[in-house]
Amino acid sequence: MAEALVAVGVSASILQIVSLTAKLTQRINEFNSTAEEMPRALRSIHTQLPFLRETCQNLDTGDESENVSIIIKECHREIVDLYKTVDKLLPGPGDPRLSRAIKALKSIHYQEKFDHALQKIESFKTDLILHCCQRTTDTHNGAAPGQKVSHILPAMPMASSIRRRKLLQTIDRQFSDYEYEDGMHKIVVLLGMGGQGKSRLALDFARRVSIESQSTLVLWVDATTKQSMTRAFEDIADHWNSRKRRFIDTESRIKYVNEVLAERKWLIVFDNYDHPDQFTDVCSFIPPGDGSVLFTSRHVDAGLLGKAVQLSGMDEGEGLELLRLRTGQNLDEPSNRAAAIKVLQTLGYLPLAVDQAGAYIRQQTLPLPLFLQIYESQKQMILNQKHIYWDYKKKLDSEAKAETPLDVLTTWEMSIQQVGSTHVTRGVVEHVLTIAAFLGHVEISESLFREYAQYTRPVPNWLVCFTRNGEWEPHKYRDMVSKLLRLSLAQGRNSITGECCLSLHPMIKDWLQLRITETDRGVYIMETINILANYINANVQERSLQEVRSLLGHLDACTNSHTKFRTGTHRFGFGHLRNHAITFSTFYMSHGRYREAEEGFQAVLEHDTQEFGNKHAHTFRTVRQLADAFVHGGKYLQAHDLLSKAFHDSHDKADIETIRIVFALAGVLAKLDRQTNAERCYETALKGYALRKDLAQSREVYLLYERLAETKRYLGKHAEAESFYVAAHRGYEADCRYDEDTTLDMLRTAGGLANLLRTLGRYEEAEKSYREAWQGYKKHLGADHPQTTTMLTNLAISCRNQSKFEDAEIYLEESLKIFQKSLGSDHPDSLRALMNLSICIDKQGHYREAEIKYREVLKGREKKLGLEHPYTRRTIERLAHMLWMQGHHDQAETLVRKILNRIGRASPEYNSSPTSRSTFPALTTLYTEARKRDQSKLAPDHVDALETCECLRLIYIKQGEHDKAKELTEQIQKSTTQTEKGSKAGKPDEERKSFTPALNEKEVELSTQKGLSVSNTATASNSVQDLTTRFRNTSPAIKLVLVLSTGTLLWYLWLHRLVILSTP
């Protein structure tokens, strides 16, 4: 069989080798997926096969030289034998378990055969590589007799690479769009930082032109320096000079090349034109005639030569294909694909970095998820990794005889050697870049460095060159930035405010962090922290949302770098970093980043406790800040415990810190719905502030007015609440600062007044106030800030109370999405938004959907707040009612019974004797307690109180307790009448529409006159409700049958009546 295949020629043998190596790789992969351990030699063969296949694919199939034929035939024979052995010995996934075990044992005894095959494969691969390296691309191009003119291109790279088709099409389109004029060349410039694959892309384009356009001569010139270009033209002349023409000097050689090209179409690639400032007469090397020129360069100024094509990272498809080629791993599996995408994101889709990572992964035979785990700790080693066919090579100077393999770090080191300008030294540029490496990689604003230079004395040496007499000179800084942009080490733009902003590629950031020593790294991180803290504390009137987001990104990057690289002497929150940690955490708090704020304040509190003790003013202040972070993060119990301990430590001191702790403790009690205790604490704190004349008219007191007003509102003391809201609002207005903080204070107070309006049933006024406050928050804090989202939730509730269900549902879904993303799905604010969305769905009659959401809320509130919290109890009541309305009475009873047992709140009625008339004791207990709670906290006509009465009334009717049902009916009717007259009150968080009772007084009177009992009428009314609910939840098919049956019956009755009427 082998002899027959060999006879068909080298071309067929190459195709057979490529096919068999692919099958072998797949076969070994199948074995690897089922076997616990692969033989060592077989693993090595698995690694070498893709390289052999790629080498064979790059061979010229028309090459019939004797040496190549011998190598190919022997290689083909060895691959065929190896394939037969592997197919015979290795178990497949479809084999029975016994067969797989036997084959696995046999494969161990073939270790020597596999070793021999590995040696042969490596030998064939080396011989073929040497042949490829010696081969010269030599395509004749219609030259005159005796004159050998051919394409001059680099040898085909050994390792297969991807074809970036979109970019190739872009280059082609740029050339095609030129309007041809005599004497004008078509020039396109590929621009991009080192590692973007400019040279490989240019080579792919040049080879495609050489194949597709037979009349176009393609040349490749090294444009690193003027000397390298001159040498390249000399080599071209010597290569073409088959007539042995004598050249006197370099100029005669260049003239000869120009003569040859004058009557032909041509494309010249000037590769690595990275120093246009040192080599300005490059155009003198462009020959005359009908030609096109393609430059590759890292320097932006080169783009002035023609049409520029800016290269960025690969797209996802290209990146995955390159990673697949380099690692040999199957990326179609979801887990592998997800890990591969994460690798690409980590490496910024940079081709050279992906190539190096792939080389490391293949060499170490690492799964992609494991690579991600070790990348951070071994980043520098990985980014220096190169495989044996490395295509990224360059002569580092004009005198070098051999090309040096480049890694991604080396290419950037070459770029940074060129920095430095009229005003700025190279050391200064490196310092600015290194500081930027520890910030976020986008929107690194000039203002960070300007503020640091203006408020730091003495001005740091590396910033002196950007100032004059202590004043910042923007043009000097922008001159430095312009240099970085030209070298493609950074990207830049002007912000909306006109600030010059830098952006760094993620890999550039990594490189800048890795190129310095560990000691220097710590120094740079400390300086970056100082710069950010100085900028946050700068007297900036108002920052735009974009500036805030950028600054948050810088804080994240800086704190992450500190955690990652810090030494034991520089712990964040300790020593001289204490105040910086407070600054960072306070900024995080004010912009809704509560988790980060909590971590920062925790570190500061640990420091203060060790340094100052538990009773120091600094410690108390930090306790309050941490407690505030806990409250915003929904950790009410932790905040309560923390403040209670602090109060115990400070109660013997009648100072301002004790008053502030009482104030903070009152806020936590309010969150825990211990409103009476909260009111007492607020009033105590207010008396304490009154004794301090310096604070009697301060922002602290106005905030206390707000909080006390909110508590008064919850307790139904609406007039007092309104007076405190008005006092707070007037206080903020009188402040006269009108900065961002004051604006937000006034918006918050307006939102509080809107809460009061909604409580009083003035929904339209409340909606207007909520909408204005929401728009204000959105402008100053952004749409995704928790305070903005809370105001949006309140606006939605107000819309729902006016039966604007569509608007309410849209707002609540948006609120829920933002809360879950920023605070987590189990945060109390997220659960509140979900609860109100459930109520909105409930009120539209979608009981089943509402039930599912109520269950989700109950699960979250039970975990976060506990079963006895009022919000949790409201959820239980709402869920039980949903089950009742769907006719699932027993399910509702079972649910409530289990909950009451767990919290030990079973009433005497629940534990009644078997002879009791109570059919649903747990439900009766639940709503009886709820009614008592509402009577103590809410007005009789409050919608929540009315709803509780209606739920209890329905249970009494179902149990046949008609006297109690009649009593509740009368109470509901009386309260509803009062409500219609305009007396409305109540608590707004989860306000619901009151139910109209099934029986009113008139119906009771009429039914009595007709001799019918109230119980029968009530039962009939309840049965109708049950039937209506069951019909609503019936499947569409059954509904159709019922409707058709009813229609047929009505038609029959009508026909029957017609017959009767027509009878004489």
Side-chain angles (χ1 to χ4, degrees), residues 721-722 1035:
E722 184 174 4
S1035 67

mmCIF file of all heavy atoms in Angstrom, residues 721-722 1035:
data_model
loop_
_atom_site.group_PDB
_atom_site.id
_atom_site.type_symbol
_atom_site.label_atom_id
_atom_site.label_comp_id
_atom_site.label_asym_id
_atom_site.label_seq_id
_atom_site.Cartn_x
_atom_site.Cartn_y
_atom_site.Cartn_z
ATOM 1 N N ALA A 721 -43.563 65.449 60.792
ATOM 2 C CA ALA A 721 -42.631 65.083 59.728
ATOM 3 C C ALA A 721 -42.480 66.218 58.723
ATOM 4 O O ALA A 721 -41.363 66.572 58.314
ATOM 5 C CB ALA A 721 -43.113 63.815 59.016
ATOM 6 N N GLU A 722 -43.598 66.815 58.343
ATOM 7 C CA GLU A 722 -43.533 67.897 57.354
ATOM 8 C C GLU A 722 -42.732 69.078 57.884
ATOM 9 O O GLU A 722 -41.939 69.680 57.169
ATOM 10 C CB GLU A 722 -44.948 68.346 56.987
ATOM 11 C CG GLU A 722 -44.972 69.393 55.887
ATOM 12 C CD GLU A 722 -46.381 69.728 55.426
ATOM 13 O OE1 GLU A 722 -47.344 69.196 56.015
ATOM 14 O OE2 GLU A 722 -46.508 70.519 54.477
ATOM 15 N N SER A 1035 -55.949 26.207 31.444
ATOM 16 C CA SER A 1035 -55.202 26.177 30.194
ATOM 17 C C SER A 1035 -56.062 26.718 29.052
ATOM 18 O O SER A 1035 -57.295 26.644 29.088
ATOM 19 C CB SER A 1035 -54.762 24.742 29.865
ATOM 20 O OG SER A 1035 -55.898 23.954 29.584
#
